[in-house]
Amino acid sequence: MPKPVYLDYHATTPVDPRVLDAMLPYFTEAFGNPASRQHAYGWQADEAVVHARGEVASLIGATAGEIVFTSGATESNNLAIKGAAHACRDRGDHVVTVATEHKSVLDSFKKLERDGWRVTWLGVDSDGFVRLDELRNAVTDKTVLVSVMAANNEIGVLQPLAEIGAIVGAAGALLHTDAAQAAGKVPIDVNAMGIDLLSLTGHKYYGPKGAGALYVRRKKPRIQLACQIDGGGHEQGLRSGTLNVPGIVGLGRAAAICRAEMLVESTRLAALRDRLLEGLRRELDGLRVNGSLERRLPHNLHVSFEKVEGESLLMALGDLAVSTGSACSSGSQAPSHVLQAIGAVGDQAGASIRFGLGRSTTDAHVDFAIERVTTVVKSLRRAMAAQ
Ligand SMILES: *Cc1c(COP(=O)(O)O)cnc(C)c1O
């Protein structure tokens, strides 16, 4: 087993070999610019982009004409949030988001706040969910945009998007969702869920880094966005710049693979995740799962260990590539804003680990993780008790 064992699939995923195979010709012999309308090099590249657009659209129940290619979810979030707010400025000055969002969403809203928009920052309950009555009370006829992530990148909680979509739609506002963690992992249907704008990124679902997309609803209603990158008018004028053809081909192929394999793979990963949790619970007490266990990504587990200090845990877990964080504000690491929002921080909160399982994760990897974590946590607790 190569070390460290990679259990950090929320940070990024490797490119699937089938995706790489699809991409490679577009670096070399099929290198054309899809904007070149006069010759076969351009037509060939354009054909590949058209095909990928359809594959990305199919993953989320959209149509090809509703997909705008970007450099990733950070850019998609910026374009969706700033683009929609600026385009709707004459209709209202109020926007809504949630405390547990990704930094690229939170900082886009902070920018809007500095530029004169009124922002409502919704909290979440102890399971990590947006409270629907709080959302209902927040939206008014001055609300133009609500942004709620599909799946949280730390605790994996899946927000009730269909219910949120109904509330936002009834208020006449637009719903944006950051689906960087959810796309390709759990079913998403932009129409059934009432989603108007959706961000996704290739490197979270076994595609390449630096390739992503923004879904922009074209019908009922047709959404206007203020473009954030001016230039040659690519992507229906919403995002100028020569298309990253190999990246886009990879984004599309990765979407098609996820769509075909989602059901089987998510069942497999949920069983592995449950094996991991059962193993940790069998060996350790003073363990808390952060976020709802019922409605979360199948491959995510986020646990806090009481009476353990974050930095020592990180140092002792060298054979595991996981993301660790402090749930306790006394250490030098600041507690995560997500754990803060669910009320899982404080002097007794201990240290936490985010496990993200993925395509190459096996029983043996999970058993190794259980053994490493239980050994380290027990020894850190013994050392602490001896002080
Ligand atoms: C990774 C991630 C992003 C950023 O995506 P990039 O493509 O790396 O810019 C945004 N939101 C969430 C929830 C993420 O997990």
Side-chain angles (χ1 to χ4, degrees), residues 256-338:
I257 292 170
C258 284
R259 195 159 81 98
E261 299 180 353
M262 187 183 297
L263 195 60
V264 170
E265 182 63 354
S266 64
T267 308
R268 187 185 80 87
L269 289 174
L272 281 175
R273 190 264 316 277
D274 294 346
R275 179 190 183 100
L276 175 58
L277 178 57
E278 278 158 29
L280 294 173
R281 278 187 169 152
R282 192 171 57 235
E283 299 290 331
L284 293 170
D285 51 18
L287 176 159
R288 191 188 58 249
V289 175
N290 295 308
S292 160
L293 251 187
E294 283 71 45
R295 282 196 45 82
R296 78 193 289 141
L297 290 170
H299 57 298
N300 172 279
L301 184 66
H302 195 292
V303 283
S304 293
F305 304 92
E306 282 171 22
K307 303 193 179 74
V308 174
E309 199 259 311
E311 228 141 321
S312 328
L313 185 63
L314 181 76
M315 299 223 290
L317 279 180
D319 282 345
L320 284 185
V322 289
S323 153
T324 63
S326 173
C328 163
S329 49
S330 65
S332 60
Q333 272 178 295
S336 113
H337 71 287
V338 176

Side-chain angles (χ1 to χ4, degrees), residues 10-11 71-75 77 102 104 149 151 153 178 180-181 201 203-204:
H10 298 296
S71 64
T74 296
E75 186 191 331
N77 287 339
H102 188 265
S104 56
M149 70 202 316
N153 48 298
D178 175 356
Q181 294 289 340
T201 184
H203 77 100
K204 302 286 175 71

Side-chain angles (χ1 to χ4, degrees), residues 133-150:
D133 44 336
E134 206 176 300
L135 172 64
R136 223 174 266 117
N137 291 334
V139 290
T140 71
D141 58 352
K142 290 277 177 266
T143 310
V144 292
L145 177 71
V146 175
S147 182
V148 180
M149 70 202 316

Side-chain angles (χ1 to χ4, degrees), residues 94-105:
H94 181 231
V95 290
V96 178
T97 191
V98 186
T100 51
E101 295 291 314
H102 188 265
K103 213 164 182 325
S104 56
V105 168

